[in-house]
Amino acid sequence: MDFRLKVVGLAERVKGLRYMNKSKSLVNVELHFAFGKNWAEYAEKVTEAEIAEAERGLQRLLAQDRLDGLSFLDIGCGSGIHSLAAIRLGARKVFAVDLDADSVHTTQALLKRHVPSGGWSVKEISVFDLDPDRHGAYEVVYSWGVLHHTGAMVDAIESAARMVAPGGRFVFALYRRVWMDFFWCWEKRWYSKASPAVQRIVQAIYIWFYRFALWVTGRNFKKYVENYSSNRGMDFYHDVHDWLGGYPYESILPQEVDLLMQKLGFSRERVFARQGRFFGRSTGLFGSGCDEYVYRKD
Ligand SMILES: C[S@@+](CC[C@H](N)C(=O)[O-])C[C@H]1O[C@@H](n2cnc3c(N)ncnc32)[C@H](O)[C@@H]1O
């Protein structure tokens, strides 16, 4: 690792962990962005190609083609598409949870439509209320893009990690830290409380700049949006709304994740992280993007 990055990483670790824990009051759901409404709209139109893409996403993270016989807990299931993908890949017992009632209903509707035979359950539970004695421990605990939206990311990671069975895997994705984190945190808090009309205007402005940036770098916006489902089965426009409004918001460096996971008794299996060009971080002009982590419980 580059020496400068090491220094920045250490400073961040101290500063960052304080930043990460300061928003505990935000676990209050009333202050959260209405994720579920966005997912409800998306899930109505989810296509076979998007489900297949979600399957490929799971296969890539777990580095295996099938999940036959594995128990699977999906924390912060959102649209339910990844629970569905896990079932289609052979997971034996799928439990999907979300804090947002709309996400729960959307996941239930999606799974009922695609897997009427059952073998899955969906419940409205916060990650903080999960308990291995009551809900069981799972061979795969999956939480993509969730724990940084809980208002207390480190506590949420610890709580989710407790649900992993011995020898099982914890698969999660978290926003990487960028230089513009403070701006995005402010923007999301404001946007998540703005009226739908104002949100639509902000989306249009964001998309206009995005389009401009693609044009400057010689890429075609239409093609970009068409191929966007290659990004884990989500579509571009729902992801834009999710990005602009996803509040509470926290971010983390891979070094910090590693430190925490070691402390919790996990070993790194694989990490898909992008390193920024400015002292190990990107500017975050259009957002931060998620780094993906797979850890195994020792
Ligand atoms: C950005 S979405 C990600 C959804 C899904 N995992 C995916 O990859 O598409 C974040 C989800 O986390 C849920 N969430 C936020 N705080 C939560 C908490 N404390 N416990 C469980 N779910 C939570 C939100 O309701 C939302 O559905």
Side-chain angles (χ1 to χ4, degrees), residues 35 39 76 78 82 98-100 103 126-127 144-146 232 234 242:
F35 284 104
W39 296 130
H82 300 102
D98 203 292
L99 173 74
D100 185 316
S103 292
S126 167
V127 63
W144 211 103
V146 175
R232 306 176 48 256
M234 293 300 159
D242 184 87

Side-chain angles (χ1 to χ4, degrees), residues 210-219:
Y210 208 97
R211 211 178 169 129
F212 180 71
L214 287 174
W215 176 75
V216 167
T217 51
R219 286 176 290 170

Side-chain angles (χ1 to χ4, degrees), residues 277-295:
R277 273 176 288 168
F278 305 100
F279 295 96
R281 276 200 243 171
S282 22
T283 55
L285 202 58
F286 287 102
S288 58
C290 284
D291 289 330
E292 296 170 299
Y293 303 93
V294 182
Y295 278 84

Side-chain angles (χ1 to χ4, degrees), residues 27 29 32-36 39 42 74-82 97-101 103-104 125-130 142-151 156 175 232 234 239 242 246 248:
V27 297
V29 71
H32 286 214
F33 172 62
F35 284 104
W39 296 130
Y42 164 75
D74 185 0
I75 303 177
C77 50
S79 66
I81 191 172
H82 300 102
V97 301
D98 203 292
L99 173 74
D100 185 316
S103 292
V104 171
I125 306 178
S126 167
V127 63
F128 302 113
D129 298 327
L130 284 169
Y142 177 82
S143 194
W144 211 103
V146 175
L147 307 170
H148 49 219
H149 286 313
T150 56
Y175 281 131
R232 306 176 48 256
M234 293 300 159
D239 253 3
D242 184 87

Side-chain angles (χ1 to χ4, degrees), residues 6 29 33-34 52 64-65 72 112 114 123 164 167 171 177 181 184 193 215 221 223 238 249 254 259 272:
K6 246 186 186 163
V29 71
F33 172 62
Q64 64 192 69
D65 287 342
F72 186 93
K112 257 188 211 149
H114 291 269
K123 286 220 165 80
V164 183
V171 182
R177 187 155 307 144
D181 270 345
W184 287 117
K193 295 294 158 232
W215 176 75
F221 178 73
K223 272 204 197 122
H238 286 92
Y249 170 79
L259 214 68
F272 299 96

